[in-house]
């Protein structure tokens, strides 16, 4: 079964750092883009960025460039999303998702992780 | 920045046809995708490449494209189709900025 399993919910304070993970299984992890999507409470989906684990080619939405870092470790089939200094406005559900492999970096996502809720509060 | 525009809400009675639109200047040149999201769940891909349906998605879901607008059509709407629906596409300027539409809440009356 193709699946993405994300790390658990996090509660952090403003200014703290955080790295959340997304582990793929059941498919060739290096051959499909993995994207990250933010959903703030009660709001819509926001495309943050995407990485190709095979060569670590990474693209960011202008809205998130410089705010987060996307990385991957293909040896353990895991992608990451990290912050160096969290803000209260980073409070959201974060989803990782696997591309269909048809188009490229702007591809659709056919498999989604269960989501990681990040709460940033003093 | 590139934007995709969806109506905030659409309401239909069971058995009727629901049409949800998504407008964007680059849609004639870029594929559009549609997702269904139910409360507390991750999104599910229901249409890709404008009109293709992934395996396991009911035939009542279809997609079409005309100029700068793409449309998700749900024929014979069922109560279980009540959800938020999002379109996704990219701009065509070369930066490949990928965006989601703002989402449409489908209410089954």
């Amino acid at each position: 079964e193709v699946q993405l399993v994300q790390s658990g919910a996090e509660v952090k304070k403003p200014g703290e750092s955080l790295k959340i993970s997304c582990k793929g299984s059941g498919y060739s992890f290096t051959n499909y883009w993995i994207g990250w999507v933010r959903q703030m409470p009660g709001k819509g989906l926001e495309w943050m960025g995407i990485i190709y684990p095979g060569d670590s080619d990474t693209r960011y939405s202008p809205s998130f460039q410089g705010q987060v870092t996307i990385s991957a470790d293909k040896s353990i089939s895991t992608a990451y999303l990290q912050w160096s200094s969290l803000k209260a406005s980073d409070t959201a559900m974060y989803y990782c998702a696997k591309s269909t492999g048809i188009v490229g970096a702007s591809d659709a996502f056919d498999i989604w992780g269960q989501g990681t809720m990040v709460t940033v509060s003093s | 920045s590139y934007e995709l525009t969806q109506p905030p809400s659409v309401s239909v009675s069971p058995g009727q046809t629901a049409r949800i639109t998504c407008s964007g200047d680059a849609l004639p040149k870029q594929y559009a995708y549609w997702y269904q999201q139910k409360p507390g769940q991750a999104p599910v891909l229901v249409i890709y490449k404008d009109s293709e349906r992934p395996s396991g998605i009911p035939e009542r879901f279809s997609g079409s494209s005309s100029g700068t607008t793409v449309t998700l059509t749900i024929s014979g709407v069922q109560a279980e189709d009540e959800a938020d629906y999002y379109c996704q596409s990219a701009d065509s300027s070369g930066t490949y900025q990928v965006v989601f539409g703002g989402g449409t809440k489908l209410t089954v009356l």
Side-chain angles (χ1 to χ4, degrees), chain A residues 1-83:
Chain A
E1 178 192 8
V2 177
Q3 60 178 352
L4 297 173
V5 178
Q6 297 184 229
S7 49
E10 301 276 0
V11 179
K12 307 292 277 187
K13 290 181 166 48
E16 292 185 333
S17 62
L18 176 64
K19 191 173 189 177
I20 63 175
S21 66
C22 168
K23 183 173 177 61
S25 62
Y27 73 101
S28 178
F29 185 75
T30 54
N31 290 346
Y32 295 86
W33 294 83
I34 292 280
W36 288 93
V37 176
R38 183 175 79 174
Q39 188 166 39
M40 300 176 76
K43 301 299 183 182
L45 305 176
E46 298 175 89
W47 193 94
M48 301 177 70
I50 200 165
I51 188 165
Y52 190 78
D55 61 7
S56 293
D57 184 5
T58 308
R59 319 281 175 87
Y60 292 93
S61 162
S63 299
F64 292 94
Q65 179 83 48
Q67 307 304 308
V68 298
T69 301
I70 294 171
S71 60
D73 184 341
K74 61 185 179 182
S75 69
I76 55 172
S77 300
T78 301
Y80 302 96
L81 178 66
Q82 68 181 80
W83 296 259

Side-chain angles (χ1 to χ4, degrees), chain A residues 37 39 43-47 62 95 100 102-103 105-110 112-113, chain B residues 30-31 33 35 37 41-43 45 48-49 86 88 90 96-100 102:
Chain A
V37 176
Q39 188 166 39
K43 301 299 183 182
L45 305 176
E46 298 175 89
W47 193 94
Y95 293 101
T100 63
I102 297 174
V103 172
S106 59
D107 210 352
F109 297 126
D110 59 353
W112 291 65
Chain B
Q30 295 287 349
Y31 286 126
Y33 314 107
Y35 301 90
Q37 187 182 33
Q41 298 183 20
L45 180 66
Y48 66 99
K49 288 176 64 178
Y86 296 90
Q88 176 200 334
Y96 285 99
Q97 182 184 346
V98 180
V99 295
F100 288 98

Side-chain angles (χ1 to χ4, degrees), chain B residues 26-70:
Chain B
L27 288 174
K29 299 180 181 179
Q30 295 287 349
Y31 286 126
Y33 314 107
W34 288 96
Y35 301 90
Q36 176 194 69
Q37 187 182 33
K38 296 181 179 180
Q41 298 183 20
V44 173
L45 180 66
V46 295
I47 294 290
Y48 66 99
K49 288 176 64 178
D50 293 345
S51 59
E52 300 293 320
R53 195 172 52 250
S55 61
I57 300 302
E59 291 184 8
R60 64 180 182 273
F61 288 87
S62 63
S64 61
S65 176
S66 178
T68 58
T69 299
V70 294

